[in-house]
Amino acid sequence: MRVLLTGGAGYIGSHTLLKLLQEQNEVLVLDNFSNSSMESLRRVKQLANRDFDFRNGDICNSTLMNDTFNAFKPDAVIHFAGLKAVGESNDKPLDYYTHNVTGSVELLRCMRRHGCKQIVFSSSATVYGEADYLPYDEQHPLRPTNPYGRTKYFVEEIIKDWTASWSEASAVLLRYFNPVGAHDSGRIGEDPLSTPNNLVPFISQVAIGRLDKLNVFGSDYDTRDGTGERDYIHVDDLARAHLSAVHFASKNKACEAINVGTGRGATVLEMVKAFERASGRPIPLNMAARRNGDVAKSIADVSKANRLLDWEAIHNIDDMCRSTWNWQSLNPLGYK
Ligand code: NAD
Ligand code: UD1
């Protein structure tokens, strides 16, 4: 299959790229490197021992997008490209609407123009907002609470309308829960450009000595130990879900939203313990106030992914922390 990966140099994109190459797909990566580096692509090429096409550019650039579709003629698109920092999205909402929403509209227009019928979109559990019930199933009301989350929600709605307007089209909206971990080789992983906002990259930088201590945001939640509980998913399992989703989209003619998680939750303190086991290093803690906008618990109902994609997560939090530590200790400064 010929697959176009927008944002394929990024964290989740690079792990998915490697799997697509290992399964003998033809791939073109389009990325503007706003949050990634060429080094991840170089390493994927070495790991796969295969080459792939690449374009440095922005999904909002319609001339570039048309040229790319003309030259590569993809059968399917996996659409990772976008901005993803919740805090930044409050300060710069229009950047988020431009890159995430306008960019996606441009992409869908191009796909229609060039007869490319299948898309897998990187959505997020953040579209659910405060839980009416848990685990979240795909019918749970959608009430995102920040501009980033709203861009994901709007793009989901746009893709639903695009699919409805074209009987040949097929889309899978993958709602990721909390992706963590790295490839077993330790050659590719998550490389935040500034101080991490997310838990596991933060713990990992404390363990390696780049940061002093972890601030635990809230210890009075209604959870086992009072700290926030999340459904962490290994990036390797997530990458596999994309291959299953592309396969599913090639046989389907509709738009399906599908949760991608493990169905199990871990608290902040449980993740800290797992990371201490994996790294053999203590993680100093500071019990801090709740972070604005956080929910107590977020857990996926994964039965739809099991049923439609014939997929399930196989890695547990120890695997996630071990692979994160392997990547972090082999690359203390990330790709730099
Ligand atoms: P990432 O930042 O590592 O990857 C995104 C890639 O897109 C980067 O390489 C960046 O340079 C590129 N990019 C951004 N804007 C672009 C544009 N306008 N044109 C071309 N390239 C552009 O992020 P990630 O963690 O790999 O996430 C991938 C997708 O999954 C994003 O859409 C993100 O919102 C979504 N998502 C991520 C998480 C998570 O925790 N990592 C959770 C839910 C959803
Ligand atoms: C965050 C985003 C969410 C996004 C997701 C991607 C916010 C409010 N939400 O979700 O939109 O889809 O990342 O993975 O930013 N924690 C600490 N100390 C830290 C960092 C985090 O205690 O330094 C806690 C948080 O309070 C939370 C848990 O760790 O309980 C996980 O946090 P994080 O990794 O940021 O993910 P989410 O909050 O689920």
Side-chain angles (χ1 to χ4, degrees), residues 189-226:
E190 185 169 13
D191 182 22
L193 293 184
S194 50
T195 306
N197 299 309
N198 295 121
L199 179 68
V200 172
F202 201 104
I203 296 179
S204 179
Q205 293 198 10
V206 172
I208 201 77
R210 284 171 67 179
L211 297 167
D212 292 345
K213 57 180 181 313
L214 172 73
N215 289 309
V216 177
F217 296 143
S219 46
D220 56 351
Y221 285 112
D222 182 17
T223 60
R224 285 185 288 282
D225 56 24

Side-chain angles (χ1 to χ4, degrees), residues 135-296:
Y136 293 106
D137 59 26
E138 290 82 355
Q139 274 77 53
H140 187 283
L142 305 180
R143 290 184 298 247
T145 57
N146 53 67
Y148 165 70
R150 279 188 281 280
T151 67
K152 292 295 174 189
Y153 167 73
F154 292 147
V155 175
E156 284 201 0
E157 295 298 305
I158 291 167
I159 293 178
K160 281 182 204 159
D161 289 339
W162 178 83
T163 319
S165 72
W166 187 12
S167 60
E168 293 296 299
S170 167
V172 179
L173 314 172
L174 290 181
R175 293 179 181 157
Y176 312 157
F177 275 66
N178 287 61
V180 298
H183 188 256
D184 268 352
S185 65
R187 297 283 294 152
I188 55 172
E190 185 169 13
D191 182 22
L193 293 184
S194 50
T195 306
N197 299 309
N198 295 121
L199 179 68
V200 172
F202 201 104
I203 296 179
S204 179
Q205 293 198 10
V206 172
I208 201 77
R210 284 171 67 179
L211 297 167
D212 292 345
K213 57 180 181 313
L214 172 73
N215 289 309
V216 177
F217 296 143
S219 46
D220 56 351
Y221 285 112
D222 182 17
T223 60
R224 285 185 288 282
D225 56 24
T227 64
E229 186 175 343
R230 297 289 184 273
D231 186 337
Y232 296 95
I233 165 99
H234 196 303
V235 68
D236 191 71
D237 285 329
L238 182 55
R240 272 195 305 111
H242 288 82
L243 270 68
S244 304
V246 169
H247 184 64
F248 172 79
S250 70
K251 296 178 303 186
N252 197 40
K253 292 265 179 296
C255 180
E256 295 286 354
I258 304 181
N259 289 339
V260 192
T262 63
R264 291 180 298 277
T267 66
V268 173
L269 295 181
E270 287 165 352
M271 287 310 274
V272 168
K273 289 281 164 250
F275 210 93
E276 288 181 334
R277 282 195 296 277
S279 64
R281 298 192 176 188
I283 307 294
L285 303 180
N286 172 45
M287 304 313 276
R290 290 181 178 195
R291 180 172 67 179
N292 253 351
D294 270 0
V295 296

Side-chain angles (χ1 to χ4, degrees), residues 17 21 25 41 47 55 58 69 170 195 239 271 331 336:
L17 169 64
L21 293 170
N25 296 284
L41 296 182
L47 287 168
R55 289 203 173 196
D58 200 295
F69 272 79
S170 167
T195 306
M271 287 310 274
N331 308 271
K336 283 178 258 336

Side-chain angles (χ1 to χ4, degrees), residues 102-155:
T102 311
S104 299
V105 170
E106 194 51 57
L107 171 67
L108 293 167
R109 200 193 297 285
C110 218
M111 290 178 67
R112 179 72 212 243
R113 194 177 292 134
H114 294 271
C116 177
K117 301 166 191 156
Q118 298 154 35
I119 184 165
V120 174
F121 172 60
S122 296
S123 188
S124 167
T126 200
V127 295
Y128 293 120
E130 195 69 45
D132 287 349
Y133 55 85
L134 285 170
Y136 293 106
D137 59 26
E138 290 82 355
Q139 274 77 53
H140 187 283
L142 305 180
R143 290 184 298 247
T145 57
N146 53 67
Y148 165 70
R150 279 188 281 280
T151 67
K152 292 295 174 189
Y153 167 73
F154 292 147
V155 175

